Amino acid sequence: MDHSAKSDDNKAKYEVTKDSNGVQQVLLRNPRGASVKVSLFGGQVVSWKKENGEELLFTSSKANFKPPMAVRGGIPICFPQFGNRGILEQHGFARNRMWIIDENPPPLHPNDSKGKSFVDLLFTPSEEDLKRWNHSFEFRLRVALDFDGYLTMISRVRNINCKPFSFSIAYHTYFSISDISEVRVEGLETLDYLDNLQQKERFTEQGDALTFESEIDRVYLSSEDVIAVLDHEKKQTFVIRKEGLPDVVVWNPWEKKSRAIADLGDEEYKQMLCVDGAAIENPINLKPGEEWTGRLELSVVAST
Ligand code: TA6
């Protein structure tokens, strides 16, 4: 079903398809041939491709695409809880729920749609969710692809409750890489981090770019808003620009943990690296009627 508007630049432009499990997916394309695919299950970006069709996001060959499990790959959204930091299941429930297409969202800045293919999604908690996390909210997500192939995700969380609540959030981004030994991350140097492999103890990162020789599971705190993931073998760099997301999660399960993860191939840790824009250390507090906005922009550039 083609929803491309004839004239109005601000109208959402996307195609709706279904995956093999009958789950609705939204396909965004740009005039150069790049594309993004978003599943309505979890509001999860499941594909981001360059103009030459090369996939930029990792998805496990053992991924389970059948709800209620979140797909092992792409960009699952951890909300309203990150990890096991709270009473809810790991990473909260938003990634395990059906979202809907929001045909008439409150406006965003005109630049957030001009010359872009985009779709607006909406997630609200069910009665069942409210029994476990009794806070009414509206989570609006705009996913956009621009002429240069940049992928932008704008989240707006509104408290439609009569009392304040707090949440944490992460865009759990699985980057597809050539080989984990060929990759380094810049922008986290000298930052403090919470090590999930050591009871979330706080440490300080060295002065150099991050490279990988073993399992890593850390939350870097109060980072700059631009992080780079350099892949020397592929001669390309992922640039992560973020707003309203002070923290950065870095995760690679390495060999031993990969063997314990059912929906991840034993050797696949070599081709994936998660670097997530997040708000974890200081949960976001929203008073009734208040709205939080977070923005993540991903791009890829040629590099040495
Ligand atoms: O920090 C990232 C992390 O929380 C890891 O501890 C690991 O569990 C990863 O997320 C994946 O979580 P998942 O629930 O998708 O298996």
Side-chain angles (χ1 to χ4, degrees):
M1 213 182 327
D2 180 358
H3 283 262
S4 50
K6 300 294 166 273
S7 60
D8 185 344
D9 219 4
N10 289 326
K11 273 252 168 285
K13 300 179 208 60
Y14 54 82
E15 296 156 49
V16 180
T17 59
K18 281 194 174 169
D19 72 6
S20 54
N21 293 301
V23 175
Q24 281 196 313
Q25 298 187 321
V26 172
L27 184 60
L28 307 174
R29 300 176 197 274
N30 78 358
R32 289 177 162 169
S35 68
V36 167
K37 195 182 276 182
V38 193
S39 173
L40 292 196
F41 181 67
Q44 182 169 348
V45 171
V46 290
S47 170
W48 172 36
K49 290 184 177 169
K50 283 186 186 177
E51 333 167 346
N52 64 4
E54 182 193 336
E55 178 59 57
L56 295 164
L57 297 173
F58 166 86
T59 298
S60 170
S61 61
K62 297 175 81 176
N64 180 339
F65 292 88
K66 222 174 171 38
M69 271 278 281
V71 173
R72 176 73 59 197
I75 311 177
I77 295 176
C78 309
F79 175 90
Q81 173 187 301
F82 177 78
N84 59 7
R85 289 170 167 77
I87 57 164
L88 297 170
E89 63 265 44
Q90 161 96 342
H91 294 326
F93 51 78
R95 64 175 181 163
N96 308 101
R97 299 285 184 278
M98 287 309 293
W99 295 49
I100 61 168
I101 293 174
D102 189 354
E103 302 285 3
N104 202 9
L108 279 163
H109 189 283
N111 291 346
D112 290 324
S113 26
K114 205 157 199 52
K116 294 183 168 76
S117 301
F118 65 90
V119 64
D120 289 289
L121 305 183
L122 172 62
F123 172 58
T124 52
S126 65
E127 287 311 313
E128 279 314 296
D129 296 328
L130 291 170
K131 284 187 194 137
R132 293 183 315 117
W133 200 74
N134 190 15
H135 305 293
S136 301
F137 60 85
E138 291 171 340
F139 189 142
R140 286 192 164 79
L141 174 67
R142 169 164 294 182
V143 181
L145 175 69
D146 75 3
F147 189 76
D148 299 315
Y150 286 37
L151 164 59
T152 301
M153 300 173 73
I154 306 169
S155 291
R156 294 183 282 180
V157 177
R158 176 176 290 280
N159 177 350
I160 59 169
N161 225 13
C162 52
K163 57 185 191 303
F165 67 73
S166 306
F167 66 89
S168 46
I169 186 168
Y171 295 91
H172 208 302
T173 310
Y174 287 78
F175 289 106
S176 173
I177 55 173
S178 60
D179 189 299
I180 190 69
S181 62
E182 288 286 336
V183 165
R184 64 192 202 158
V185 177
E186 292 182 351
L188 304 173
E189 300 82 353
T190 72
L191 290 182
D192 281 4
Y193 62 87
L194 306 176
D195 193 335
N196 289 336
L197 301 179
Q198 301 190 59
Q199 295 74 47
K200 302 185 179 69
E201 204 178 323
R202 192 178 187 120
F203 297 91
T204 304
E205 187 55 73
Q206 303 310 306
D208 314 319
L210 200 53
T211 54
F212 306 94
E213 287 104 26
S214 60
E215 180 182 3
I216 185 167
D217 191 348
R218 298 174 180 174
V219 180
Y220 285 85
L221 309 174
S222 307
S223 80
E224 296 300 320
D225 276 341
V226 181
I227 306 290
V229 180
L230 293 80
D231 188 331
H232 298 298
E233 190 175 311
K234 276 192 178 173
K235 297 192 173 10
Q236 72 180 18
T237 294
F238 290 105
V239 180
I240 304 166
R241 287 189 179 79
K242 55 190 179 71
E243 284 171 30
L245 301 160
D247 307 322
V248 175
V249 178
V250 177
W251 180 58
N252 188 289
W254 222 254
E255 196 166 358
K256 190 157 165 274
K257 189 67 69 54
S258 294
R259 292 180 190 287
I261 300 174
D263 58 347
L264 182 64
D266 294 354
E267 302 295 312
E268 286 187 320
Y269 69 92
K270 295 175 181 166
Q271 274 73 51
M272 60 150 278
L273 180 64
C274 290
V275 181
D276 317 344
I280 297 169
E281 183 191 24
N282 303 312
I284 294 154
N285 305 311
L286 285 181
K287 297 193 186 72
E290 269 188 345
E291 181 173 80
W292 167 85
T293 300
R295 171 191 293 264
L296 186 80
E297 180 199 86
L298 303 178
S299 57
V300 63
V301 293
S303 57
T304 54

